[in-house]
Amino acid sequence: MADVESQAESPAYFDRDGTLKPGRATSGNVKTSKSDGTSSGRLLLIPLNFLLLAISIVAASTIVVPLAAITYSASYQSVNEILIVLRNNYAIQVEDVVNKHINDLQAMFSNMNQNLDIQNVLKLPTVNNLNLTEQTRLMFAYSSILKPHSSIFSGGWLDSAGKHTLFIGNINRTGLYCNYYINPEATACEHFIVTSLNLEKQEGAIIHQPRYENPMRAPATFVGGRWDGDPMFLNLGGPQPSALYGIRWSQWPGVPLTEEGVGEPTGAHSITQNLMEFSAELKHLVTMANTVIAIWNQNGVIIATNGDHPGVLYNTGPGGSYTTVKADENANEYIKLGAQEARKINGGWDLATPLSLDRKAADGEKLFLELRSIKADGASFWTALIAIPERSLLGTMRESAKKVTIISTVLAIAMLALAAATSVLVTRPMRNLTQSMQQATQMDFSSLKDMKTKSIIKEVNIMQEVFGTMLARFASAIKDNRKLASRRSSVSRPGTTGRTPHAHTVGHINSIEGRHVADVKFLKSFLAIVLHMSPKPSLVGKHIYIINAKLVPETLKKLSKAAESKGARIVSRAKDADVVVTKLTSAARISKYIDLKSAMIPPVAKLGWLEQCVEKEECPALVPPLTVDLTPCIEEAAKDANYIPPATETGCKRAYSDTETGPIIISSRSPSPASPASKRQHISSTTGPKNWISSDSEVHSDLHSDELSDGASESSNSEGSDGDAEYERNIALDPTYNNVAYEVVRKHPLDHHNKELVEQLSLIEKQREIDGEARSALSYRRAISALISYPRKIRSWREAKKIKGVGDKIARMIREYLKTGTIQAAETVANSSRFLITSHFASIYGVGPTTARDWYGKGYRSLEDVLDAEGDTLSNVVKMGIELFPDFQQKMTRKDVEEIVEVLKEVLRGIAEGFVICPVGGYRRGKEINGDCDVVITHPEEAKTKNLLRQLVDALKAQGYVKHVLWYGEGHEKDQVSELRLQSGKKNSFDHLSKAFTGFRQPSTGINRQVDLIISPQSLYACAVLGWTGSKQFERGLRNWCKYGGVAAGHTFKGGYHFASHGLFDRRTNKRVHVETEEDIFKFLKLEWADPTLRNA
DNA sequence: GTGCAACGCTT
DNA sequence: AAGCGT
DNA sequence: GCAC
Ligand SMILES: Cc1cn([C@H]2C[C@H](O)[C@@H](COP(=O)(O)OP(=O)(O)OP(=O)(O)O)O2)c(=O)[nH]c1=O
Ligand SMILES: [Mg+2]
């Protein structure tokens, strides 16, 4: 047999065309198999199938059945002992938990129970549109009832469907609050601040808005509070559950000011919270399935349970009521049974001794009940019940016994089936074979054609094969040497066809509410492919250029050696390298070692990348955080090469052109004379980067070298003492610099004089942002913007400190930068893996600082980690963000943006004629490298823009450009109701812009680009364009200017206005200021025209 | 001591 | 209510 | 973190 088998493994007995190869099948083999088959069958008369059946039966009875029996009985033997231990163990666990909470909670209940008559509060009227006096009066009415109850923690006006409703419990951001700044000694509220739906303070209401994002700032007399939104609620007691900060005092007349810890919940809220914690702990005790745990007090009122059965429910929302559940009345059936039995035995709620009972519940289930009494400090006591259904305890054993029985039966049957199958598959073909042989001995070869059906049992198959061959050879020898046609042997199996690599792309998309969301499994394989396409995973053959800056020669040598030992080649010029490796973190500094204008810029990796390559013999993918992003500098290089002033090509000059040219038309005309400033900028911008500086750049460099030679030579004479160094000198601000805080009155070109410094400070800004330190980030951003607009390189920290926006801390950093070329804090950030990974996470659409930090905190270090662990919990937006991440990561050139704008124009033409499309965002500001494509679209006829967003997005989807819609909002229509709302001073909720953020497939590259579509009615167009041209910091500055005013070019603007992308409003009257062009807005705000290219604050 | 832009969608 | 994105 |  063994011989036959090995022979069979060799390819085939037949040629490809099916002809028999004479002499390949050895006669010896044939003989062996033949004699095996015949002789053994004769001597042993036991049929093979009987033998197999017998084996099966023996196996079943000796192994499977005893195994089942032993398991079954053993499990029952120890039940009693286990049960006793278990019941006690449960009781002890529960007692521990109860003991932990009982005293605190009991104290709270005692305070709470003092005659709170919440029903009276609820009987007070619900009111609409009260004026301030009426509101105040009503609040005082409330106060008289609520006065004694510090436990109710808030109230206010709730906006429900546009109506004002008075409520208790702060669930919305609308209401009243009290200002205690006027008289910190007051024990009653003397001054209310009313914040109603229009978010504005009203007549008589006042002065300060106590808003504390940071509780540490709250003074001892702090009253009122807010979420991180607008100050809109009235607090009476404790802070709100999830806020970081809250109210310390009641503001009701007569309620004494008491000092409470900020952030510590009090009153009803604290009880609710504690009860929830308590219940959660019970829930987390490890118990048998369906075990019910309940705790009730000396009155039989349930305090907590381990399930969803309600305990004492303190509702702090509108209504502020609370409900109780009696253990023996309206509780869960098992609890009720336990409580009733306990009462019966003890004649009351007081439990004399621990109880262990077995009872049958109403549902027929037998229960093991454990009852324990837990004493609180003082007179009160609680009872703990643990009810274990017999089913959960013994049921599992019965279940497994049943399973064992079923499995043994199945096994036995399977064995019988196997015997039967063997009979069919082995014995029958063998019998047939024998028959054929017998025929053959009679020179009857007719059975040859019946041998097409081959056995699937290998050995049998081979026998058939060999026998067939033998018969065939005999037949052919006997007949006229004619070649026999035969089919290919089944020994050579058809090759398995490879799976289509992209098979998974079919059907991975689910459509959810019209959006497309990839499933997690798809995302994983997708990312594996897209993110790890590194062509050379090892160092072998890689050309590496190591920038020597910041590396001591030894380290440099060591690195080079290590890399070379792994097969890399160290090259001496960056342009010969596949990868550049550097310790530098600043793109500006790196760019001095690399020709950014060359067509192929090698990726720049950090040392960590090389170290990993060497260590693991395998290089990690060249993606952040292991790489340095050079885009800012590439942008600059591209700009130097062929700078075209953007405004002449954007086709949206109307937004700032003169007013007398009538309706908006897409046009390629140059800007009208009414905006001379912009024209001047365009011209000068072609002459060089310093275009907007009134005193020419050469003057600066003269100044610069003058002071350098003075200061520097002096300092070097005195052996370079810090005191004489230039960076210590008290240098006056550049006289042409407009040293103001408002970005809107300064000029912020893309090309400026402090790029290296700005780059480093930007790192810190970003780090602050990711760490959730928004205000700190803002300060860095303001300093950065000021430095961008500063008309020459900063030379000393004292000079820098004079700039508004640069304070002590940043000045110190600038000093360090001037002295050493780097800022340690920035270096640390740039090399911190926490920062690199969290910012990597946060670069995904839908993932912000909180989520990024959260993921990092959970130990995830890569997107793969996240998908593995959080795949199922990711929101649809984040899933889309991850799917689009490889595309969105890639920046766009101006050409890319223009290509998309052309497509949009074409699609718009398909909807109607006359649409105006203005590319805004960074593109309009002249950026060479853009993260996305922002466009504002309008039409001279307002009606045409009404349903445009729907039409446009549908058209883009239909034409295959858009698959993912990340954000969709139609805003509101400009209708009568809205006009009324405006008049009545309510929040003006009409004529917002409608917008959609989409993933847009760029035809030429196939890359999905983020395209933000903003649809604006013609009347809002100027504001929309101004609001969407940015930069972000410019927009914030603009809004501040509108709000607070300032002085620009000798003109004073008083402020009191409100700017948003849908309009400019008078803060006092809420009336819209009608503007037709961007220039109108600047003029109205008494600002000089700011060309878009100078808005890169 | 207090403000820091303002808005709206998704979860 | 919080998080996020513009 | 800075300015008013
Ligand atoms: C991010 C952001 C943008 N905007 C406005 C101004 C922005 O220029 C405009 C578009 O936003 P973005 O597209 O985020 O920014 P950008 O176009 O200036 O830069 P890039 O796309 O190259 O990264 O929206 C705000 O008003 N506030 C913001 O927080
Ligand atoms: Mg943009």
Side-chain angles (χ1 to χ4, degrees):
Chain A
M1 276 310 227
D3 268 348
V4 174
E5 183 171 346
S6 68
Q7 182 62 52
E9 303 269 78
S10 77
Y13 299 101
F14 298 94
D15 225 350
R16 201 166 263 261
D17 58 7
T19 51
L20 186 67
K21 279 243 167 129
R24 277 294 303 273
T26 59
S27 50
N29 277 338
V30 174
K31 268 179 196 154
T32 314
S33 76
K34 188 178 157 191
S35 63
D36 269 10
T38 50
S39 64
S40 60
R42 291 259 165 88
L43 290 174
L44 299 166
L45 290 177
I46 305 164
L48 191 56
N49 25 1
F50 279 124
L51 179 68
L52 289 165
L53 187 64
I55 294 171
S56 309
I57 290 166
V58 171
S61 56
T62 56
I63 304 170
V64 183
V65 175
L67 197 71
I70 291 167
T71 317
Y72 195 75
S73 67
S75 58
Y76 271 99
Q77 278 168 17
S78 28
V79 159
N80 284 338
E81 288 98 296
I82 293 175
L83 197 57
I84 292 163
V85 175
L86 191 92
R87 288 170 72 162
N88 261 317
N89 184 5
Y90 276 10
I92 291 168
Q93 283 190 62
V94 172
E95 278 176 300
D96 279 351
V97 174
V98 176
N99 271 319
K100 207 165 102 192
H101 288 271
I102 188 165
N103 284 322
D104 289 350
L105 276 166
Q106 196 56 47
M108 287 180 198
F109 288 138
S110 322
N111 296 336
M112 187 71 187
N113 287 338
Q114 292 163 10
N115 63 28
L116 166 63
D117 187 359
I118 197 82
Q119 292 311 314
N120 270 340
V121 175
L122 296 175
K123 278 182 202 142
L124 285 166
T126 294
V127 289
N128 292 321
N129 298 322
L130 294 179
N131 65 28
L132 179 67
T133 320
E134 290 163 333
Q135 287 175 351
T136 311
R137 204 166 285 144
L138 193 57
M139 292 306 272
F140 273 95
Y142 270 79
S143 80
S144 59
I145 295 170
L146 295 170
K147 206 157 57 176
H149 306 289
S150 62
S151 48
I152 297 185
F153 70 97
S154 82
W157 263 265
L158 164 69
D159 173 37
S160 107
K163 307 234 176 197
H164 288 164
T165 312
L166 202 55
F167 71 95
I168 305 296
N170 48 359
I171 62 155
N172 212 317
R173 306 181 189 183
T174 307
L176 293 186
Y177 62 93
C178 184
N179 183 343
Y180 267 97
Y181 284 100
I182 295 168
N183 177 10
E185 305 304 315
T187 52
C189 185
E190 294 170 2
H191 301 270
F192 281 107
I193 296 172
V194 182
T195 52
S196 64
L197 289 179
N198 65 358
L199 317 193
E200 297 299 327
K201 285 169 262 181
Q202 292 187 352
E203 174 213 349
I206 321 324
I207 311 223
H208 284 293
Q209 300 181 0
R211 301 155 65 122
Y212 292 101
E213 286 168 33
N214 177 356
M216 299 308 288
R217 275 190 175 188
T221 52
F222 170 47
V223 176
R226 68 162 213 172
W227 285 263
D228 190 26
D230 296 286
M232 301 273 182
F233 62 94
L234 169 68
N235 269 302
L236 304 131
Q240 79 117 21
S242 59
L244 292 170
Y245 46 88
I247 306 314
R248 290 184 174 192
W249 321 117
S250 166
Q251 62 195 33
W252 299 108
V255 177
L257 298 176
T258 56
E259 212 159 332
E260 301 277 350
V262 169
E264 285 300 315
T266 60
H269 168 249
S270 115
I271 293 178
T272 309
Q273 185 165 312
N274 277 275
L275 285 175
M276 282 161 69
E277 276 170 22
F278 188 16
S279 285
E281 276 183 56
L282 292 179
K283 216 174 207 160
H284 287 128
L285 287 178
V286 181
T287 61
M288 285 290 174
N290 305 315
T291 299
V292 170
I293 302 174
I295 315 296
W296 57 79
N297 69 4
Q298 62 274 18
N299 301 317
V301 172
I302 292 186
I303 308 294
T305 71
N306 70 331
D308 298 325
H309 339 294
V312 182
L313 189 67
Y314 285 88
N315 182 355
T316 53
S321 64
Y322 67 99
T323 56
T324 58
V325 178
K326 285 288 284 273
D328 59 336
E329 285 170 16
N330 42 2
N332 160 292
E333 286 304 319
Y334 294 179
I335 299 176
K336 213 152 77 178
L337 176 64
Q340 285 167 351
E341 291 296 313
R343 276 196 89 170
K344 240 191 274 167
I345 293 170
N346 287 286
W349 288 112
D350 198 355
L351 207 61
T353 54
L355 291 176
S356 277
L357 309 171
D358 294 0
R359 294 286 184 276
K360 211 169 185 115
D363 58 7
E365 187 64 55
K366 193 179 160 197
L367 295 180
F368 301 122
L369 302 171
E370 289 293 318
L371 289 136
R372 298 286 186 280
S373 180
I374 297 117
K375 301 267 174 259
D377 294 347
S380 45
F381 56 87
W382 291 357
T383 305
L385 165 79
I386 301 125
I388 312 163
E390 190 197 27
R391 166 171 44 93
S392 358
L393 201 61
L394 306 183
T396 36
M397 281 182 214
R398 282 194 195 124
E399 272 305 300
S400 47
K402 206 191 274 171
K403 260 183 214 156
V404 172
T405 316
I406 291 171
I407 290 171
S408 353
T409 314
V410 168
L411 270 177
I413 291 171
M415 283 178 166
L416 291 175
L418 194 68
T422 317
S423 151
V424 172
L425 294 173
V426 178
T427 45
R428 191 185 290 166
M430 295 214 344
R431 208 181 299 135
N432 290 343
L433 212 56
T434 317
Q435 210 171 8
S436 304
M437 287 179 185
Q438 282 166 350
Q439 285 177 10
T441 34
Q442 316 282 319
M443 297 306 270
D444 173 5
F445 295 102
S446 62
S447 60
L448 198 57
K449 62 179 177 293
D450 297 330
M451 292 182 61
K452 284 173 196 165
T453 32
K454 299 268 162 73
S455 168
I456 58 161
I457 306 294
K458 198 175 178 184
E459 281 72 16
V460 178
N461 180 294
I462 292 162
M463 279 173 74
Q464 290 173 328
E465 195 77 54
V466 172
F467 182 64
T469 311
M470 187 185 78
L471 277 191
R473 288 195 62 189
F474 284 168
S476 73
I478 289 164
K479 294 191 177 168
D480 56 359
N481 246 4
R482 181 169 53 94
K483 285 180 185 172
L484 286 174
S486 173
R487 69 204 45 79
R488 220 169 137 71
S489 146
S490 65
V491 171
S492 89
R493 302 207 318 264
T496 31
T497 38
R499 281 211 342 244
T500 325
H502 293 297
H504 59 246
T505 58
V506 182
H508 74 273
I509 297 287
N510 301 318
S511 185
I512 297 175
E513 287 174 13
R515 285 174 298 130
H516 291 271
V517 180
D519 69 40
V520 174
K521 229 161 76 202
F522 165 75
L523 284 180
K524 281 187 196 168
S525 44
F526 173 75
L527 285 183
I529 295 165
V530 176
L531 292 182
H532 298 293
M533 286 192 309
S534 179
K536 292 178 192 172
S538 82
L539 279 178
V540 179
K542 267 214 168 83
H543 290 205
I544 293 180
Y545 172 66
I546 304 180
I547 298 178
N548 56 14
K550 286 197 75 185
L551 285 173
V552 282
E554 295 87 77
T555 327
L556 184 62
K557 227 183 231 162
K558 222 163 63 194
L559 278 172
S560 310
K561 273 237 177 84
E564 274 172 338
S565 74
K566 303 292 175 194
R569 250 191 67 196
I570 303 297
V571 295
S572 53
R573 286 178 310 185
K575 64 173 183 171
D576 300 330
D578 298 322
V579 185
V580 173
V581 173
T582 179
K583 199 180 180 192
L584 297 176
T585 47
S586 138
R589 285 196 64 186
I590 292 167
S591 65
K592 288 178 186 151
Y593 296 86
I594 300 175
D595 179 15
L596 293 180
K597 283 183 187 122
S598 85
M600 283 295 297
I601 301 167
V604 178
K606 302 189 178 165
L607 288 190
W609 176 83
L610 187 59
E611 279 158 7
Q612 283 190 38
C613 286
V614 171
E615 210 173 285
K616 299 190 196 152
E617 308 258 333
E618 194 183 294
C619 295
L622 276 168
V623 290
L626 289 173
T627 54
V628 182
D629 185 17
L630 290 185
T631 22
C633 295
I634 295 173
E635 161 156 343
E636 184 188 325
K639 210 172 156 165
D640 285 351
N642 55 346
Y643 180 71
I644 304 159
T648 58
E649 56 190 49
T650 54
C652 54
K653 293 155 301 300
R654 187 58 178 78
Y656 54 83
S657 71
D658 59 311
T659 55
E660 66 264 18
T661 46
I664 298 165
I665 301 154
I666 300 184
S667 105
S668 55
R669 288 181 296 129
S670 54
S672 78
S675 55
S678 68
K679 193 154 204 172
R680 191 169 56 240
Q681 291 314 329
H682 298 157
I683 294 162
S684 54
S685 66
T686 56
T687 64
K690 288 121 194 150
N691 59 73
W692 50 272
I693 301 168
S694 51
S695 50
D696 192 33
S697 61
E698 282 131 57
V699 176
H700 293 140
S701 47
D702 283 345
L703 259 175
H704 185 80
S705 52
D706 278 346
E707 295 196 5
L708 251 183
S709 53
D710 284 346
S713 59
E714 261 171 35
S715 69
S716 60
N717 287 344
S718 55
E719 313 243 320
S721 90
D722 272 10
D724 294 334
E726 184 180 45
Y727 58 81
E728 294 288 349
R729 284 183 45 212
N730 187 6
I731 298 171
L733 284 177
D734 185 292
T736 63
Y737 178 65
N738 189 6
N739 193 14
V740 289
Y742 284 114
E743 291 83 356
V744 265
V745 301
R746 299 192 308 239
K747 298 170 179 187
H748 303 81
L750 278 169
D751 203 1
H752 59 92
H753 308 274
N754 291 290
K755 288 192 183 168
E756 263 191 47
L757 181 53
V758 163
E759 191 189 329
Q760 306 213 35
L761 292 175
S762 300
L763 273 174
I764 302 178
E765 181 203 1
K766 190 167 176 197
Q767 186 258 340
R768 294 290 197 273
E769 211 133 68
I770 286 180
D771 281 359
E773 313 235 34
R775 302 309 173 198
S776 180
L778 174 60
S779 292
Y780 282 98
R781 177 32 80 180
R782 285 174 165 172
I784 288 165
S785 291
L787 291 169
I788 288 174
S789 90
Y790 197 65
R792 65 176 192 221
K793 197 167 172 356
I794 295 287
R795 281 178 274 156
S796 93
W797 70 268
R798 278 182 240 266
E799 176 188 17
K801 180 128 195 332
K802 295 192 180 99
I803 296 175
K804 280 201 183 23
V806 177
D808 271 340
K809 183 149 177 175
I810 294 177
R812 229 191 304 280
M813 288 178 169
I814 292 178
R815 177 173 181 270
E816 188 188 343
Y817 164 76
L818 292 171
K819 188 174 173 184
T820 67
T822 51
I823 298 170
Q824 190 46 53
E827 293 291 300
T828 311
V829 166
N831 290 309
S832 137
S833 59
R834 182 193 157 87
F835 170 75
L836 294 168
I837 290 165
T838 47
S839 49
H840 181 233
F841 286 156
S843 65
I844 298 162
Y845 186 102
V847 178
T850 306
T851 312
R853 275 180 275 136
D854 191 40
W855 286 353
Y856 189 86
K858 287 179 172 171
Y860 314 144
R861 296 295 180 266
S862 69
L863 219 42
E864 286 84 346
D865 291 350
V866 172
L867 284 172
D868 284 342
E870 303 277 326
D872 302 332
T873 64
L874 296 177
S875 72
N876 289 331
V877 171
V878 171
K879 280 184 196 160
M880 284 193 278
I882 292 176
E883 191 188 351
L884 290 167
F885 178 74
D887 282 10
F888 280 8
Q889 209 188 17
Q890 305 180 60
K891 304 284 182 193
M892 301 162 82
T893 62
R894 297 186 69 77
K895 259 217 163 86
D896 292 325
V897 175
E898 283 149 18
E899 179 189 343
I900 287 168
V901 172
E902 285 311 309
V903 172
L904 289 173
K905 274 186 192 164
E906 203 46 52
V907 175
L908 283 168
R909 253 194 283 280
I911 295 170
E913 284 298 322
F915 281 114
V916 179
I917 175 166
C918 178
V920 287
Y923 176 88
R924 183 155 182 260
R925 300 197 309 276
K927 281 176 74 183
E928 294 291 335
I929 307 281
N930 294 274
D932 66 0
C933 168
D934 313 281
V935 295
V936 174
I937 299 166
T938 190
H939 195 283
E941 300 164 46
E942 206 142 286
K944 282 261 169 40
T945 54
K946 190 167 172 191
N947 292 318
L948 181 58
L949 190 68
R950 189 69 272 158
Q951 290 174 278
L952 179 58
V953 170
D954 286 347
L956 290 171
K957 277 185 178 173
Q959 296 179 36
Y961 292 111
V962 167
K963 191 163 74 182
H964 302 84
V965 178
L966 300 159
W967 205 97
Y968 187 92
E970 302 214 339
H972 300 269
E973 290 299 321
K974 180 177 180 174
D975 58 20
Q976 266 199 325
V977 175
S978 311
E979 292 288 5
L980 279 176
R981 277 181 159 217
L982 182 67
Q983 272 208 341
S984 63
K986 298 293 169 289
K987 187 185 155 136
N988 165 15
S989 62
F990 73 90
D991 67 13
H992 290 221
L993 311 162
S994 48
K995 43 201 186 240
F997 305 152
T998 65
F1000 184 110
R1001 196 185 141 88
Q1002 183 189 2
S1004 68
T1005 61
I1007 298 172
N1008 284 304
R1009 305 298 197 175
Q1010 183 174 340
V1011 174
D1012 296 353
L1013 306 165
I1014 295 106
I1015 312 291
S1016 161
Q1018 187 268 334
S1019 59
L1020 311 180
Y1021 182 65
C1023 290
V1025 169
L1026 178 58
W1028 249 280
T1029 294
S1031 66
K1032 173 176 166 176
Q1033 192 52 33
F1034 182 89
E1035 299 294 336
R1036 300 166 89 171
L1038 177 68
R1039 285 155 171 76
N1040 281 331
W1041 176 266
C1042 293
K1043 196 169 182 175
Y1044 301 109
V1047 183
H1051 296 287
T1052 303
F1053 178 67
K1054 284 216 306 294
Y1057 288 84
H1058 178 88
F1059 181 78
S1061 56
H1062 64 281
L1064 178 62
F1065 304 91
D1066 185 320
R1067 292 188 104 86
R1068 206 171 47 78
T1069 62
N1070 280 330
K1071 288 247 157 65
R1072 173 184 291 280
V1073 179
H1074 292 275
V1075 288
E1076 282 197 28
T1077 65
E1078 261 186 323
E1079 231 194 334
D1080 287 352
I1081 302 172
F1082 281 97
K1083 275 187 187 149
F1084 182 86
L1085 298 173
K1086 299 221 159 50
L1087 285 168
E1088 281 185 66
W1089 168 251
D1091 188 84
T1093 58
L1094 300 179
R1095 299 185 200 164
N1096 291 293

